[in-house]
Structure formats: C-alpha cells, structure tokens
Amino acid sequence: MIVNSVADAPAPAAQQGPVRKSSSDEPVHTEPFADVDDAPIDDDADGRRRYAEQLTEPPLPYIEPQPTVPLVVDEYEAEPLPEPVAADEPVATQAPKVRRGTLDLGLLILRLVVGATFTVHGLQKLTGWFNGPGPDGFADYLANHPNPSIGFRGDVTTILSLVAGVSETAGGILLILGLLTPIAGAAVLGTIAIATTYKVTLAGGLWFFAADGGGNGIELEVLLAAAAAALILTGPGTYSVDRRWGWSRRPAWGSAACVVVAIGAAVAIWILFNGTDPLTSPGNPAG
C-alpha cells in the first residue's frame, strides 16, 4: 500500500490559462513496496513499516495540444534519370588515333618537287640562273613588245617582274621546308594563275597539251597550280616545320580562304595591269 501526501497550492494568476503548472515545495512521503510473504510477522504495524522521505521535483507543466500547421515543401523538378543503355547498343568510347600511314611521306615528296620547281623558276626571273631571262628580260616579256596591246602596262612591268620572282622563289623554298604552307602555297598559286592566263593570251588560243599550239599548251601550268592548291588544302604533313600547327594535318576554312585570296589577287592584278580577254585575244603575230 502506497500513501502519498501532496499539498497542492493554487496556481498564481499569471500561470492560469492554456498552460497550467503545478508546483509544491513540501516533501513527499513514500512507502516502499514490501513483499507480504517476505515481510516479518510483527504485531506492531509501525515496526513493520519504514518511511522514506525524499524531496521530489515538481512535475512537468501540462501543455494543451495546439492545432498543427501543414508542412510546406518546396516543389522542385527532379532531373530525369538517364535512359538505360540497351545491351546490344554500342557504348561511346574515345575515338582511336587515326593512323596516317604513308600520307605524310607522300606530302613530303609533293612539297619537294613543287617547291623546287617554283624555286628554280623564281631564280630564273631574279638572277638569270638556269638560262633564265633575269629581271630585265622578264620585264620585257611582260611588256610584250611584239604586240603591246595584249601585254602588261609598261610602267609596272619591272615591279611585276620582281614580285613574280620573289613570290616563286620564296614560296618554293617555304614549300620545301613546310613553313607557312598556306601563305607559301597562295603566293605560288597566284603567280602561276597569272602566268597561265598570260600564256593563253599570247598564244591567241587555249591548248592544253604542251606540244599543241606551237608549244603553248598549259598542261604544266595547270599541274603546278593544282599541286599548289592541293598543298594548301591538305597541309604539309608532319614532316614539316609546320607540324605543330593545325594546318599541317587538319586544315580548315582558313586554308580554303588562302586559295580564294590567291585566285582573287591574280584576277585583280590581271584586270588592273592587263585587262585582255585571253579567250578572244588575237595573240602575237606568227613569226
């Protein structure tokens, strides 16, 4: 049997309301539990009981439940999960390194032959070597004294002679080295385009094979022009000074622009300093 004696004091006015708190400073007397079977038999009830006195903490205050507020969760769009890859679908991997095979060796041979050919022709114009006309003789060739009406203007022939000699010599050497290949190719391409047009103009007709038209065929000039354009568009390859630049193996629109600029410059020079229609030209008188 447990006997509790607690004196409840009235709550202060400040504590009255939705939250009620009870407090008591009086000690609480409790009687420990005792097993009836194990308790000694004693007539004196007070002798069989022991009182324990202890000071207990006041109970926790009672808080009336309040209405709950719904929890607001920010809405967000979850990122879609990647679609599963089918078992038979190939998985994208790093592209293997493309082997160039003998491509760079072929470009080297082409550069050496084309570059050497232009270098020799340029030295003929600049120095007269290799049975060349020299700068003065080439200037006379441009003026075309047999029929000056289809030749270049006499006031610019000396300058054009030097420009042609330097373009072919410097462009040819750069092609051999594989250095600044797009610019070198453009220099020799523009020069050979003017040379081809002038040859047709002086011959008074268009012949392709070198033996036709009294030796005025343009097959060599066409071949050299095509080779120069091909080197610009394909790049010099890895066996070149330009091997560290993108245009040596992966030419892009910049290289194609060099071809357009070379042809445009040749057309502009022809119109400004000659202006003859090569397809309707009377040509030089037969001698």
Side-chain angles (χ1 to χ4, degrees), residues 67-101:
T68 59
V69 180
L71 180 61
V72 178
V73 180
D74 296 336
E75 296 182 358
Y76 67 96
E77 296 182 359
E79 296 182 358
L81 297 176
E83 298 181 359
V85 181
D88 55 348
E89 185 177 351
V91 181
T93 57
Q94 186 177 3
K97 185 177 180 180
V98 179
R99 297 183 178 274
R100 293 175 63 86

Side-chain angles (χ1 to χ4, degrees), residues 117-275:
T117 302
F118 277 107
T119 301
V120 171
H121 280 282
L123 291 176
Q124 283 183 318
K125 298 177 179 64
L126 289 178
T127 63
W129 297 352
F130 310 106
N131 298 321
D136 295 334
F138 189 66
D140 293 338
Y141 171 74
L142 293 178
N144 191 35
H145 295 294
N147 187 1
S149 63
I150 60 175
F152 286 87
R153 285 168 33 188
D155 57 339
V156 296
T157 54
T158 302
I159 297 176
L160 292 178
S161 175
L162 294 175
V163 170
V166 171
S167 298
E168 290 184 346
T169 304
I173 294 174
L174 291 176
L175 286 179
I176 293 174
L177 298 176
L179 176 62
L180 301 176
T181 306
I183 299 176
V188 298
L189 176 60
T191 303
I192 199 65
I194 295 176
T196 304
T197 306
Y198 193 47
K199 191 172 186 179
V200 174
T201 301
L202 297 182
L206 177 61
W207 291 274
F208 177 75
F209 295 104
D212 294 341
N216 292 314
I218 59 172
E219 60 178 339
L220 176 61
E221 288 77 8
V222 171
L223 181 61
L224 291 175
L231 285 174
I232 297 173
L233 297 176
T234 60
T238 55
Y239 303 139
S240 64
V241 181
D242 285 339
R243 61 184 177 275
R244 294 185 178 181
W245 298 96
W247 64 64
S248 65
R249 298 181 304 275
R250 299 179 301 275
W253 294 108
S255 296
C258 289
V259 176
V260 175
V261 170
I263 296 176
V267 172
I269 291 174
W270 180 264
I271 293 175
L272 290 175
F273 303 121
N274 192 303

